Amino acid sequence: MRVLFVASELFPYVKTGGLGDVMAALPRAMRVLGADVRLLLPAYPAVCDAVTLQGEVTALPDLMGGGPARILRAEAPGLPLYLLDQPAYFERPGGPYDQPEDLAHRFAALAWAGAYLGRSGDVAGWRPEVLHGHDWHTGLMPAYVAYGSGPRPATVMTIHNIAFQGRFSSALLNDLWLPSQALTPEGVEFHGDIGFLKAGLRLADRISTVSPTYAREIQVAGGHGLEGLLAHRSGDLHGILNGVDRTVWNPARDPHILSRYDLRHPGRRAPNRPDFQRRMGLQEDAEAPLFAAISRLDPLKGLDLVLDNVDHLVRQGGQLAVLGTGDPHAEGAFRQAAQRHPGRVAVFIGYDEILAHRAFAAADVILVPSRQEPCGLTQLYAQAYGALPLVRRTGGLADTVVGATPATLAADTATGFQFDWANGLALGEAINDALALFRDPATWRQVQRRGMATEFGWEGPARAYLELYATIPPKGD
Ligand code: ADP
């Protein structure tokens, strides 16, 4: 089966969150199963510098008002790529979603390029049977397929985070190369605007999101205004959990950590703690339960609940390390917390992949108190690295962590801690549960081992996506 993924991120070249990780792992896992999956993404300089370019598929004098554009063939290790090379839109400093003035045009260009490859294929005659777009950046792709002419590949839209929807003025309709008949509720229109994600969810043959619980939540109250549409399409909406890329996240082979370890040698984990504490400026306290959060600082991630509990945690003898960037208010509040508790609370404001690996290998507890979490990866990395995730029971966190209770401990199925209500008090109680279990090392190690033994591989999800494609009836051209 020939499948073209279209996305705006690819680890390790361009990543702002889980989307980049998924794009690196899922297509490769599907290729291992025999599917010919390729990925189209913008030709960001960081990508072009790292991959092997292999010639041009097509050249356009203009695409979406951004001037000359080309689609190039390229190869990343184990993953054939197409790159949308349009310097005016994609060769810029800053992150991929900075510079809002032409955000709509940039990602309409990407979606259009995906639809172009779906209709025309490449110079070697490769044409995808399935066009699979990821997140709002590619939401217009099913619209370009639906309103264009020529062969129509099947279309699939995956929601990695429904909070980001790409909503823009309907005055841009012509600029975005959409016909006037597209501006209807059956098309791209969303409350009088153009909704990129909305368009994809309305027009794609199938929809998926990254956990079964999130798939249910977004049809009810967590859909950020798209609940009705998703409930209407619930027969086409599937929740498929993300996995862990074991070539990147494996404590037995991780080049970034001081001491490598695995299930058979959990004792070798210990030296990573003082190393991380030293790097973060925390006291090298071997006894203190070490809590960490590695997260975008976004209100939906619920880090304000952690702020509510900093003093409590320190009073109970704990340490806290936070790696995060985002909301300036939250950044400031964590900095202040670190000043209030020198040696006990440490904060790294910024994004540091290597430090994140060290945190997972050192921490006792990884805090993931999200208000909403489509799947979440950090609680999976925590389990792989022998840190116990403490999560709010929502979305993929509910699906991937088994909270410690007398029953789950007795059955040896517990892998972490869960709490329900999105407030500081509820998190505080869960922290107390974690502190209590920490004082019982034998049970703690049992939970740690269960988490490390849990397989969150990509093979199962890769199969599930292929099965999803197979449910789409073939279309005439
Ligand atoms: P989201 O995609 O919503 O940000 P996920 O849990 O799915 O959340 O993915 C987050 C990814 O980003 C993980 O790989 C996590 O380790 C990484 N990450 C988040 N913040 C940081 C940071 N400050 N430094 C390093 N890695 C980070």
Side-chain angles (χ1 to χ4, degrees), residues 15-19 21 160-161 242 249 294-296 301 323-325 348 350-356 360 373-379 381:
K15 166 177 164 179
T16 69
L19 177 64
D21 288 346
H160 296 263
N161 193 335
N242 286 333
W249 295 99
I294 301 142
S295 179
R296 291 184 294 112
K301 292 288 184 185
L323 278 61
T325 174
F348 171 82
Y351 191 95
D352 186 331
E353 194 76 25
I354 294 175
L355 196 57
F360 287 114
E373 193 60 75
C375 176
L377 292 171
T378 53
Q379 83 282 10
Y381 302 156

PDB file of all heavy atoms in Angstrom, residues 15-19 21 160-161 242 249 294-296 301 323-325 348 350-356 360 373-379 381, ligand 1:
ATOM      1  N   LYS A  15      10.997  19.799  15.678  1.00  0.00           N
ATOM      2  CA  LYS A  15      10.089  19.203  16.661  1.00  0.00           C
ATOM      3  C   LYS A  15       9.681  20.263  17.666  1.00  0.00           C
ATOM      4  O   LYS A  15      10.529  20.936  18.234  1.00  0.00           O
ATOM      5  CB  LYS A  15      10.794  18.044  17.384  1.00  0.00           C
ATOM      6  CG  LYS A  15      10.077  17.582  18.644  1.00  0.00           C
ATOM      7  CD  LYS A  15      10.737  16.381  19.307  1.00  0.00           C
ATOM      8  CE  LYS A  15      10.220  16.213  20.738  1.00  0.00           C
ATOM      9  NZ  LYS A  15      10.783  15.066  21.439  1.00  0.00           N
ATOM     10  N   THR A  16       8.373  20.424  17.851  1.00  0.00           N
ATOM     11  CA  THR A  16       7.932  21.281  18.951  1.00  0.00           C
ATOM     12  C   THR A  16       7.210  20.450  20.005  1.00  0.00           C
ATOM     13  O   THR A  16       6.909  20.946  21.066  1.00  0.00           O
ATOM     14  CB  THR A  16       6.981  22.407  18.484  1.00  0.00           C
ATOM     15  OG1 THR A  16       5.744  21.823  18.077  1.00  0.00           O
ATOM     16  CG2 THR A  16       7.562  23.203  17.329  1.00  0.00           C
ATOM     17  N   GLY A  17       6.906  19.214  19.695  1.00  0.00           N
ATOM     18  CA  GLY A  17       6.201  18.362  20.662  1.00  0.00           C
ATOM     19  C   GLY A  17       6.084  16.957  20.116  1.00  0.00           C
ATOM     20  O   GLY A  17       6.874  16.528  19.269  1.00  0.00           O
ATOM     21  N   GLY A  18       5.059  16.261  20.594  1.00  0.00           N
ATOM     22  CA  GLY A  18       4.897  14.854  20.250  1.00  0.00           C
ATOM     23  C   GLY A  18       4.739  14.585  18.759  1.00  0.00           C
ATOM     24  O   GLY A  18       5.134  13.521  18.272  1.00  0.00           O
ATOM     25  N   LEU A  19       4.178  15.554  18.022  1.00  0.00           N
ATOM     26  CA  LEU A  19       3.967  15.341  16.579  1.00  0.00           C
ATOM     27  C   LEU A  19       5.269  14.962  15.875  1.00  0.00           C
ATOM     28  O   LEU A  19       5.297  14.039  15.049  1.00  0.00           O
ATOM     29  CB  LEU A  19       3.374  16.617  15.958  1.00  0.00           C
ATOM     30  CG  LEU A  19       3.156  16.591  14.449  1.00  0.00           C
ATOM     31  CD1 LEU A  19       2.124  15.549  14.045  1.00  0.00           C
ATOM     32  CD2 LEU A  19       2.716  17.978  13.943  1.00  0.00           C
ATOM     33  N   ASP A  21       7.914  13.530  17.123  1.00  0.00           N
ATOM     34  CA  ASP A  21       8.299  12.164  17.517  1.00  0.00           C
ATOM     35  C   ASP A  21       7.495  11.132  16.736  1.00  0.00           C
ATOM     36  O   ASP A  21       8.033  10.129  16.253  1.00  0.00           O
ATOM     37  CB  ASP A  21       8.035  11.942  19.018  1.00  0.00           C
ATOM     38  CG  ASP A  21       9.020  12.703  19.902  1.00  0.00           C
ATOM     39  OD1 ASP A  21      10.037  13.169  19.385  1.00  0.00           O
ATOM     40  OD2 ASP A  21       8.750  12.814  21.114  1.00  0.00           O
ATOM     41  N   HIS A 160      -3.687  15.271  16.432  1.00  0.00           N
ATOM     42  CA  HIS A 160      -2.715  15.091  17.518  1.00  0.00           C
ATOM     43  C   HIS A 160      -3.048  16.018  18.676  1.00  0.00           C
ATOM     44  O   HIS A 160      -2.655  15.751  19.813  1.00  0.00           O
ATOM     45  CB  HIS A 160      -1.301  15.328  17.012  1.00  0.00           C
ATOM     46  CG  HIS A 160      -0.891  14.312  15.983  1.00  0.00           C
ATOM     47  ND1 HIS A 160      -0.156  13.198  16.290  1.00  0.00           N
ATOM     48  CD2 HIS A 160      -1.168  14.227  14.661  1.00  0.00           C
ATOM     49  CE1 HIS A 160       0.021  12.471  15.196  1.00  0.00           C
ATOM     50  NE2 HIS A 160      -0.590  13.071  14.185  1.00  0.00           N
ATOM     51  N   ASN A 161      -3.708  17.128  18.377  1.00  0.00           N
ATOM     52  CA  ASN A 161      -4.154  18.028  19.439  1.00  0.00           C
ATOM     53  C   ASN A 161      -5.245  18.932  18.892  1.00  0.00           C
ATOM     54  O   ASN A 161      -4.987  19.778  18.039  1.00  0.00           O
ATOM     55  CB  ASN A 161      -2.982  18.868  19.950  1.00  0.00           C
ATOM     56  CG  ASN A 161      -3.344  19.558  21.249  1.00  0.00           C
ATOM     57  OD1 ASN A 161      -4.518  19.804  21.535  1.00  0.00           O
ATOM     58  ND2 ASN A 161      -2.343  19.874  22.047  1.00  0.00           N
ATOM     59  N   ASN A 242      -0.400   6.206  20.500  1.00  0.00           N
ATOM     60  CA  ASN A 242       0.985   6.344  20.052  1.00  0.00           C
ATOM     61  C   ASN A 242       1.871   5.320  20.757  1.00  0.00           C
ATOM     62  O   ASN A 242       1.501   4.763  21.792  1.00  0.00           O
ATOM     63  CB  ASN A 242       1.517   7.742  20.384  1.00  0.00           C
ATOM     64  CG  ASN A 242       0.940   8.803  19.470  1.00  0.00           C
ATOM     65  OD1 ASN A 242       0.567   8.513  18.342  1.00  0.00           O
ATOM     66  ND2 ASN A 242       0.880  10.028  19.960  1.00  0.00           N
ATOM     67  N   TRP A 249      14.319   6.072  22.749  1.00  0.00           N
ATOM     68  CA  TRP A 249      13.981   6.083  24.181  1.00  0.00           C
ATOM     69  C   TRP A 249      14.181   4.681  24.763  1.00  0.00           C
ATOM     70  O   TRP A 249      13.236   3.903  24.863  1.00  0.00           O
ATOM     71  CB  TRP A 249      12.541   6.554  24.378  1.00  0.00           C
ATOM     72  CG  TRP A 249      12.343   7.965  23.950  1.00  0.00           C
ATOM     73  CD1 TRP A 249      11.832   8.410  22.772  1.00  0.00           C
ATOM     74  CD2 TRP A 249      12.687   9.144  24.699  1.00  0.00           C
ATOM     75  NE1 TRP A 249      11.827   9.781  22.741  1.00  0.00           N
ATOM     76  CE2 TRP A 249      12.347  10.263  23.912  1.00  0.00           C
ATOM     77  CE3 TRP A 249      13.246   9.374  25.969  1.00  0.00           C
ATOM     78  CZ2 TRP A 249      12.553  11.578  24.340  1.00  0.00           C
ATOM     79  CZ3 TRP A 249      13.436  10.676  26.392  1.00  0.00           C
ATOM     80  CH2 TRP A 249      13.094  11.758  25.589  1.00  0.00           C
ATOM     81  N   ILE A 294       8.376  17.559  32.434  1.00  0.00           N
ATOM     82  CA  ILE A 294       9.045  17.884  31.169  1.00  0.00           C
ATOM     83  C   ILE A 294       7.938  18.200  30.194  1.00  0.00           C
ATOM     84  O   ILE A 294       7.241  17.301  29.714  1.00  0.00           O
ATOM     85  CB  ILE A 294       9.880  16.682  30.683  1.00  0.00           C
ATOM     86  CG1 ILE A 294      10.920  16.338  31.741  1.00  0.00           C
ATOM     87  CG2 ILE A 294      10.543  16.976  29.337  1.00  0.00           C
ATOM     88  CD1 ILE A 294      11.164  14.890  31.916  1.00  0.00           C
ATOM     89  N   SER A 295       7.741  19.489  29.917  1.00  0.00           N
ATOM     90  CA  SER A 295       6.476  19.825  29.262  1.00  0.00           C
ATOM     91  C   SER A 295       6.505  21.203  28.629  1.00  0.00           C
ATOM     92  O   SER A 295       7.208  22.095  29.109  1.00  0.00           O
ATOM     93  CB  SER A 295       5.382  19.812  30.344  1.00  0.00           C
ATOM     94  OG  SER A 295       4.138  20.154  29.807  1.00  0.00           O
ATOM     95  N   ARG A 296       5.724  21.356  27.580  1.00  0.00           N
ATOM     96  CA  ARG A 296       5.406  22.713  27.159  1.00  0.00           C
ATOM     97  C   ARG A 296       4.647  23.369  28.301  1.00  0.00           C
ATOM     98  O   ARG A 296       3.832  22.711  28.950  1.00  0.00           O
ATOM     99  CB  ARG A 296       4.523  22.684  25.904  1.00  0.00           C
ATOM    100  CG  ARG A 296       5.221  22.203  24.664  1.00  0.00           C
ATOM    101  CD  ARG A 296       4.335  22.273  23.440  1.00  0.00           C
ATOM    102  NE  ARG A 296       3.214  21.352  23.514  1.00  0.00           N
ATOM    103  CZ  ARG A 296       1.941  21.700  23.632  1.00  0.00           C
ATOM    104  NH1 ARG A 296       1.606  22.981  23.677  1.00  0.00           N
ATOM    105  NH2 ARG A 296       0.981  20.805  23.697  1.00  0.00           N
ATOM    106  N   LYS A 301      -1.613  21.856  29.840  1.00  0.00           N
ATOM    107  CA  LYS A 301      -0.712  20.878  30.460  1.00  0.00           C
ATOM    108  C   LYS A 301      -0.848  20.856  31.980  1.00  0.00           C
ATOM    109  O   LYS A 301      -0.262  19.998  32.650  1.00  0.00           O
ATOM    110  CB  LYS A 301       0.733  21.181  30.063  1.00  0.00           C
ATOM    111  CG  LYS A 301       1.034  20.935  28.584  1.00  0.00           C
ATOM    112  CD  LYS A 301       1.067  19.446  28.278  1.00  0.00           C
ATOM    113  CE  LYS A 301       1.465  19.172  26.843  1.00  0.00           C
ATOM    114  NZ  LYS A 301       1.376  17.742  26.508  1.00  0.00           N
ATOM    115  N   LEU A 323      11.481  21.093  33.393  1.00  0.00           N
ATOM    116  CA  LEU A 323      12.055  21.464  32.092  1.00  0.00           C
ATOM    117  C   LEU A 323      10.886  21.920  31.244  1.00  0.00           C
ATOM    118  O   LEU A 323       9.997  21.120  30.940  1.00  0.00           O
ATOM    119  CB  LEU A 323      12.671  20.254  31.392  1.00  0.00           C
ATOM    120  CG  LEU A 323      14.070  19.780  31.739  1.00  0.00           C
ATOM    121  CD1 LEU A 323      14.164  19.368  33.182  1.00  0.00           C
ATOM    122  CD2 LEU A 323      14.452  18.623  30.831  1.00  0.00           C
ATOM    123  N   GLY A 324      10.886  23.174  30.886  1.00  0.00           N
ATOM    124  CA  GLY A 324       9.733  23.606  30.111  1.00  0.00           C
ATOM    125  C   GLY A 324       9.916  24.995  29.552  1.00  0.00           C
ATOM    126  O   GLY A 324      10.763  25.762  30.001  1.00  0.00           O
ATOM    127  N   THR A 325       9.093  25.288  28.565  1.00  0.00           N
ATOM    128  CA  THR A 325       9.091  26.618  28.002  1.00  0.00           C
ATOM    129  C   THR A 325       7.704  26.878  27.441  1.00  0.00           C
ATOM    130  O   THR A 325       6.974  25.945  27.140  1.00  0.00           O
ATOM    131  CB  THR A 325      10.192  26.772  26.932  1.00  0.00           C
ATOM    132  OG1 THR A 325      10.056  28.045  26.324  1.00  0.00           O
ATOM    133  CG2 THR A 325      10.096  25.709  25.862  1.00  0.00           C
ATOM    134  N   PHE A 348      14.617  24.548  34.391  1.00  0.00           N
ATOM    135  CA  PHE A 348      15.317  24.860  33.140  1.00  0.00           C
ATOM    136  C   PHE A 348      14.268  25.397  32.172  1.00  0.00           C
ATOM    137  O   PHE A 348      13.367  24.661  31.766  1.00  0.00           O
ATOM    138  CB  PHE A 348      15.992  23.610  32.574  1.00  0.00           C
ATOM    139  CG  PHE A 348      16.529  23.826  31.181  1.00  0.00           C
ATOM    140  CD1 PHE A 348      17.756  24.432  30.992  1.00  0.00           C
ATOM    141  CD2 PHE A 348      15.784  23.452  30.064  1.00  0.00           C
ATOM    142  CE1 PHE A 348      18.247  24.658  29.710  1.00  0.00           C
ATOM    143  CE2 PHE A 348      16.257  23.681  28.777  1.00  0.00           C
ATOM    144  CZ  PHE A 348      17.493  24.286  28.605  1.00  0.00           C
ATOM    145  N   GLY A 350      13.425  26.331  28.721  1.00  0.00           N
ATOM    146  CA  GLY A 350      13.965  26.112  27.383  1.00  0.00           C
ATOM    147  C   GLY A 350      13.643  24.705  26.956  1.00  0.00           C
ATOM    148  O   GLY A 350      12.915  23.984  27.649  1.00  0.00           O
ATOM    149  N   TYR A 351      14.183  24.337  25.821  1.00  0.00           N
ATOM    150  CA  TYR A 351      13.916  23.013  25.279  1.00  0.00           C
ATOM    151  C   TYR A 351      15.252  22.307  25.127  1.00  0.00           C
ATOM    152  O   TYR A 351      16.137  22.796  24.429  1.00  0.00           O
ATOM    153  CB  TYR A 351      13.211  23.140  23.927  1.00  0.00           C
ATOM    154  CG  TYR A 351      12.686  21.826  23.439  1.00  0.00           C
ATOM    155  CD1 TYR A 351      11.370  21.455  23.669  1.00  0.00           C
ATOM    156  CD2 TYR A 351      13.527  20.925  22.791  1.00  0.00           C
ATOM    157  CE1 TYR A 351      10.897  20.234  23.267  1.00  0.00           C
ATOM    158  CE2 TYR A 351      13.067  19.696  22.382  1.00  0.00           C
ATOM    159  CZ  TYR A 351      11.749  19.358  22.610  1.00  0.00           C
ATOM    160  OH  TYR A 351      11.288  18.139  22.214  1.00  0.00           O
ATOM    161  N   ASP A 352      15.438  21.197  25.809  1.00  0.00           N
ATOM    162  CA  ASP A 352      16.727  20.502  25.760  1.00  0.00           C
ATOM    163  C   ASP A 352      16.471  18.996  25.759  1.00  0.00           C
ATOM    164  O   ASP A 352      16.170  18.397  26.793  1.00  0.00           O
ATOM    165  CB  ASP A 352      17.583  20.914  26.957  1.00  0.00           C
ATOM    166  CG  ASP A 352      18.997  20.345  26.883  1.00  0.00           C
ATOM    167  OD1 ASP A 352      19.185  19.254  26.294  1.00  0.00           O
ATOM    168  OD2 ASP A 352      19.909  20.986  27.426  1.00  0.00           O
ATOM    169  N   GLU A 353      16.599  18.427  24.570  1.00  0.00           N
ATOM    170  CA  GLU A 353      16.305  17.009  24.374  1.00  0.00           C
ATOM    171  C   GLU A 353      17.178  16.124  25.278  1.00  0.00           C
ATOM    172  O   GLU A 353      16.694  15.171  25.890  1.00  0.00           O
ATOM    173  CB  GLU A 353      16.558  16.699  22.889  1.00  0.00           C
ATOM    174  CG  GLU A 353      16.026  15.394  22.384  1.00  0.00           C
ATOM    175  CD  GLU A 353      14.517  15.401  22.155  1.00  0.00           C
ATOM    176  OE1 GLU A 353      13.912  16.466  21.932  1.00  0.00           O
ATOM    177  OE2 GLU A 353      13.951  14.308  22.238  1.00  0.00           O
ATOM    178  N   ILE A 354      18.453  16.451  25.366  1.00  0.00           N
ATOM    179  CA  ILE A 354      19.379  15.587  26.121  1.00  0.00           C
ATOM    180  C   ILE A 354      19.068  15.654  27.615  1.00  0.00           C
ATOM    181  O   ILE A 354      19.028  14.645  28.311  1.00  0.00           O
ATOM    182  CB  ILE A 354      20.840  15.985  25.814  1.00  0.00           C
ATOM    183  CG1 ILE A 354      21.126  15.662  24.340  1.00  0.00           C
ATOM    184  CG2 ILE A 354      21.821  15.261  26.722  1.00  0.00           C
ATOM    185  CD1 ILE A 354      22.481  16.106  23.855  1.00  0.00           C
ATOM    186  N   LEU A 355      18.809  16.868  28.081  1.00  0.00           N
ATOM    187  CA  LEU A 355      18.455  17.027  29.491  1.00  0.00           C
ATOM    188  C   LEU A 355      17.172  16.262  29.810  1.00  0.00           C
ATOM    189  O   LEU A 355      17.025  15.699  30.902  1.00  0.00           O
ATOM    190  CB  LEU A 355      18.290  18.522  29.806  1.00  0.00           C
ATOM    191  CG  LEU A 355      18.282  18.933  31.279  1.00  0.00           C
ATOM    192  CD1 LEU A 355      19.546  18.486  31.989  1.00  0.00           C
ATOM    193  CD2 LEU A 355      18.112  20.458  31.408  1.00  0.00           C
ATOM    194  N   ALA A 356      16.262  16.220  28.847  1.00  0.00           N
ATOM    195  CA  ALA A 356      15.017  15.466  29.058  1.00  0.00           C
ATOM    196  C   ALA A 356      15.333  13.984  29.259  1.00  0.00           C
ATOM    197  O   ALA A 356      14.803  13.346  30.171  1.00  0.00           O
ATOM    198  CB  ALA A 356      14.067  15.664  27.875  1.00  0.00           C
ATOM    199  N   PHE A 360      14.382  11.758  32.698  1.00  0.00           N
ATOM    200  CA  PHE A 360      13.628  10.501  32.778  1.00  0.00           C
ATOM    201  C   PHE A 360      14.447   9.411  33.485  1.00  0.00           C
ATOM    202  O   PHE A 360      13.893   8.554  34.169  1.00  0.00           O
ATOM    203  CB  PHE A 360      13.229  10.023  31.378  1.00  0.00           C
ATOM    204  CG  PHE A 360      12.124  10.842  30.759  1.00  0.00           C
ATOM    205  CD1 PHE A 360      12.358  11.616  29.626  1.00  0.00           C
ATOM    206  CD2 PHE A 360      10.856  10.863  31.312  1.00  0.00           C
ATOM    207  CE1 PHE A 360      11.347  12.380  29.061  1.00  0.00           C
ATOM    208  CE2 PHE A 360       9.834  11.622  30.757  1.00  0.00           C
ATOM    209  CZ  PHE A 360      10.084  12.393  29.623  1.00  0.00           C
ATOM    210  N   GLU A 373      -5.143  15.701  27.390  1.00  0.00           N
ATOM    211  CA  GLU A 373      -3.921  15.107  26.831  1.00  0.00           C
ATOM    212  C   GLU A 373      -4.309  14.096  25.768  1.00  0.00           C
ATOM    213  O   GLU A 373      -4.800  13.006  26.079  1.00  0.00           O
ATOM    214  CB  GLU A 373      -3.113  14.428  27.945  1.00  0.00           C
ATOM    215  CG  GLU A 373      -1.706  14.047  27.546  1.00  0.00           C
ATOM    216  CD  GLU A 373      -0.864  15.244  27.127  1.00  0.00           C
ATOM    217  OE1 GLU A 373      -0.430  16.024  27.992  1.00  0.00           O
ATOM    218  OE2 GLU A 373      -0.680  15.402  25.910  1.00  0.00           O
ATOM    219  N   PRO A 374      -4.125  14.458  24.503  1.00  0.00           N
ATOM    220  CA  PRO A 374      -4.535  13.546  23.423  1.00  0.00           C
ATOM    221  C   PRO A 374      -3.945  12.143  23.611  1.00  0.00           C
ATOM    222  O   PRO A 374      -4.680  11.158  23.663  1.00  0.00           O
ATOM    223  CB  PRO A 374      -3.978  14.230  22.176  1.00  0.00           C
ATOM    224  CG  PRO A 374      -3.922  15.689  22.539  1.00  0.00           C
ATOM    225  CD  PRO A 374      -3.608  15.729  24.002  1.00  0.00           C
ATOM    226  N   CYS A 375      -2.634  12.048  23.704  1.00  0.00           N
ATOM    227  CA  CYS A 375      -2.019  10.767  24.055  1.00  0.00           C
ATOM    228  C   CYS A 375      -1.024  11.009  25.174  1.00  0.00           C
ATOM    229  O   CYS A 375      -1.110  10.463  26.244  1.00  0.00           O
ATOM    230  CB  CYS A 375      -1.315  10.135  22.848  1.00  0.00           C
ATOM    231  SG  CYS A 375      -0.463   8.608  23.299  1.00  0.00           S
ATOM    232  N   GLY A 376      -0.062  11.901  24.887  1.00  0.00           N
ATOM    233  CA  GLY A 376       1.009  12.134  25.849  1.00  0.00           C
ATOM    234  C   GLY A 376       2.111  11.122  25.607  1.00  0.00           C
ATOM    235  O   GLY A 376       1.850   9.932  25.410  1.00  0.00           O
ATOM    236  N   LEU A 377       3.322  11.600  25.599  1.00  0.00           N
ATOM    237  CA  LEU A 377       4.460  10.700  25.430  1.00  0.00           C
ATOM    238  C   LEU A 377       5.296  10.614  26.696  1.00  0.00           C
ATOM    239  O   LEU A 377       5.897   9.586  26.983  1.00  0.00           O
ATOM    240  CB  LEU A 377       5.336  11.186  24.262  1.00  0.00           C
ATOM    241  CG  LEU A 377       4.693  11.061  22.876  1.00  0.00           C
ATOM    242  CD1 LEU A 377       5.529  11.773  21.814  1.00  0.00           C
ATOM    243  CD2 LEU A 377       4.503   9.598  22.508  1.00  0.00           C
ATOM    244  N   THR A 378       5.300  11.708  27.471  1.00  0.00           N
ATOM    245  CA  THR A 378       6.234  11.706  28.607  1.00  0.00           C
ATOM    246  C   THR A 378       5.889  10.627  29.634  1.00  0.00           C
ATOM    247  O   THR A 378       6.785  10.080  30.269  1.00  0.00           O
ATOM    248  CB  THR A 378       6.295  13.093  29.284  1.00  0.00           C
ATOM    249  OG1 THR A 378       4.975  13.508  29.608  1.00  0.00           O
ATOM    250  CG2 THR A 378       6.938  14.122  28.390  1.00  0.00           C
ATOM    251  N   GLN A 379       4.604  10.293  29.774  1.00  0.00           N
ATOM    252  CA  GLN A 379       4.271   9.225  30.734  1.00  0.00           C
ATOM    253  C   GLN A 379       4.726   7.867  30.210  1.00  0.00           C
ATOM    254  O   GLN A 379       4.991   6.951  31.002  1.00  0.00           O
ATOM    255  CB  GLN A 379       2.769   9.235  31.065  1.00  0.00           C
ATOM    256  CG  GLN A 379       1.869   8.517  30.079  1.00  0.00           C
ATOM    257  CD  GLN A 379       1.597   9.336  28.809  1.00  0.00           C
ATOM    258  OE1 GLN A 379       2.206  10.363  28.570  1.00  0.00           O
ATOM    259  NE2 GLN A 379       0.678   8.871  27.991  1.00  0.00           N
ATOM    260  N   TYR A 381       7.551   7.534  28.220  1.00  0.00           N
ATOM    261  CA  TYR A 381       9.011   7.562  28.419  1.00  0.00           C
ATOM    262  C   TYR A 381       9.336   7.306  29.887  1.00  0.00           C
ATOM    263  O   TYR A 381      10.303   6.608  30.205  1.00  0.00           O
ATOM    264  CB  TYR A 381       9.603   8.904  27.980  1.00  0.00           C
ATOM    265  CG  TYR A 381       9.345   9.261  26.530  1.00  0.00           C
ATOM    266  CD1 TYR A 381       9.356  10.589  26.105  1.00  0.00           C
ATOM    267  CD2 TYR A 381       9.107   8.277  25.580  1.00  0.00           C
ATOM    268  CE1 TYR A 381       9.134  10.932  24.778  1.00  0.00           C
ATOM    269  CE2 TYR A 381       8.874   8.611  24.255  1.00  0.00           C
ATOM    270  CZ  TYR A 381       8.880   9.942  23.860  1.00  0.00           C
ATOM    271  OH  TYR A 381       8.651  10.269  22.558  1.00  0.00           O
TER     272      TYR A 381
HETATM  273  P1  ADP B   1       2.901  17.633  23.374  1.00  0.00           P
HETATM  274  O1  ADP B   1       3.053  17.033  22.010  1.00  0.00           O
HETATM  275  O2  ADP B   1       1.511  18.093  23.682  1.00  0.00           O
HETATM  276  O3  ADP B   1       3.912  18.693  23.686  1.00  0.00           O
HETATM  277  P2  ADP B   1       3.740  15.009  24.337  1.00  0.00           P
HETATM  278  O4  ADP B   1       3.828  14.452  25.714  1.00  0.00           O
HETATM  279  O5  ADP B   1       2.984  14.219  23.328  1.00  0.00           O
HETATM  280  O6  ADP B   1       3.168  16.491  24.471  1.00  0.00           O
HETATM  281  O7  ADP B   1       5.195  15.224  23.739  1.00  0.00           O
HETATM  282  C1  ADP B   1       6.100  16.077  24.351  1.00  0.00           C
HETATM  283  C2  ADP B   1       7.488  15.796  23.815  1.00  0.00           C
HETATM  284  O8  ADP B   1       8.279  16.973  23.950  1.00  0.00           O
HETATM  285  C3  ADP B   1       8.217  14.718  24.573  1.00  0.00           C
HETATM  286  O9  ADP B   1       9.146  14.091  23.706  1.00  0.00           O
HETATM  287  C4  ADP B   1       8.952  15.521  25.661  1.00  0.00           C
HETATM  288  O10 ADP B   1      10.065  14.849  26.169  1.00  0.00           O
HETATM  289  C5  ADP B   1       9.343  16.738  24.871  1.00  0.00           C
HETATM  290  N1  ADP B   1       9.535  17.956  25.655  1.00  0.00           N
HETATM  291  C6  ADP B   1       8.589  18.804  26.123  1.00  0.00           C
HETATM  292  N2  ADP B   1       9.154  19.865  26.744  1.00  0.00           N
HETATM  293  C7  ADP B   1      10.484  19.683  26.671  1.00  0.00           C
HETATM  294  C8  ADP B   1      11.622  20.451  27.117  1.00  0.00           C
HETATM  295  N3  ADP B   1      11.474  21.598  27.760  1.00  0.00           N
HETATM  296  N4  ADP B   1      12.851  19.965  26.839  1.00  0.00           N
HETATM  297  C9  ADP B   1      12.989  18.789  26.179  1.00  0.00           C
HETATM  298  N5  ADP B   1      11.980  18.033  25.744  1.00  0.00           N
HETATM  299  C10 ADP B   1      10.738  18.475  25.978  1.00  0.00           C
END
